[in-house]
Amino acid sequence: MIATWYKGQEIQRGRNKRHTKPVVIIVCEGKVTEPKYFGNFKGRHKPIKIEIVKGAAGKNYDALIKEADRAVHKHVIDTDGNYSVWCVSDVDVDHNTPGNYSTRNDQLKKYVAEAKSRKFEVALSNPCFELWFLLHFTPNPGYMRDYDAVKKELSVGLPNYQKNSDVYSLLAANQATAIDNAKSLEQIQKQNKTDLMDVTVNPYTSVWKLVEAINFDRFAAQPNAIKEN
């Protein structure tokens, strides 16, 4: 499993008993789309506290990792080691720059390795986060070149979609379908690739893992000491 059930803990402080809450930190590459979407989960899951960092890095994976490190310092307070960090990011290949596939793949591999070394989870989408939205309506859209291609297909379920829109309420009824579609798509990709963290794995998204983890009040406990930048 990608996460474990949280069991509340009590801390004795003088005469007072206090229940600690696990913290789920969601570090978003984007400034609007991902933060708006995940912001809708904050008030729905009382056993956990959700913290969202937006616009962490643009296309810079190194900056995203650094923002995640800073977020741990800021938000992991009195959790008794019960927290998880999710880096929400896209592959977002630049098709117009020669050699970008190789360069971007090298960056992606380094990023995933850095995240793993810190026990951060990576919720990756290829080509973009909106693929997760599309899977609410389509089980397998086939190869998606870029955001524009995904947006075109999204017109099936979200005809007026814009990046600054909060579409959670329009998607919520199909969320279980999207999770099932994403899982099935992952199994299809595994037939051809042993490493899904690769620019050639398209279409692909692991956002479902974060959504499922939150929905079941699960998270990957990370009891390690917080790393210094």
Side-chain angles (χ1 to χ4, degrees), residues 106-123:
D106 289 343
Q107 293 171 348
L108 178 60
K109 302 295 186 185
K110 179 184 175 184
Y111 159 58
V112 172
E114 289 285 349
K116 185 177 181 180
S117 71
R118 291 164 167 77
K119 297 185 179 179
F120 296 166
E121 303 283 350
V122 174

Side-chain angles (χ1 to χ4, degrees), residues 6 18 20-26 41-42 45-52 74-77 79 82-84 214 217 219:
Y6 169 68
R18 183 176 174 185
T20 61
K21 261 189 180 182
V23 177
V24 177
I25 301 171
I26 304 174
F41 290 87
K42 293 187 74 168
H45 301 274
K46 301 300 183 183
I48 60 177
K49 184 178 182 182
I50 298 174
E51 297 288 354
I52 299 173
K74 181 177 180 180
H75 297 298
V76 179
I77 302 171
T79 65
N82 295 306
Y83 69 99
S84 67
I214 295 173
D217 297 326
F219 69 103

Side-chain angles (χ1 to χ4, degrees), residues 28-46:
C28 300
E29 196 175 66
K31 295 181 179 180
V32 179
T33 306
E34 299 94 324
K36 275 194 173 182
Y37 177 76
F38 287 112
N40 286 278
F41 290 87
K42 293 187 74 168
R44 301 169 187 268
H45 301 274
K46 301 300 183 183

Side-chain angles (χ1 to χ4, degrees), residues 210-224:
L210 171 54
V211 173
E212 192 173 72
I214 295 173
N215 281 344
F216 291 100
D217 297 326
R218 297 175 179 179
F219 69 103
Q222 183 183 330
N224 294 353

Side-chain angles (χ1 to χ4, degrees), residues 6 8-13 15-21 49 77-79:
Y6 169 68
Q9 300 183 34
E10 289 186 337
I11 294 179
Q12 181 71 44
R13 293 190 171 182
R15 296 181 179 178
N16 298 321
K17 288 186 177 180
R18 183 176 174 185
H19 291 273
T20 61
K21 261 189 180 182
K49 184 178 182 182
I77 302 171
D78 199 22
T79 65

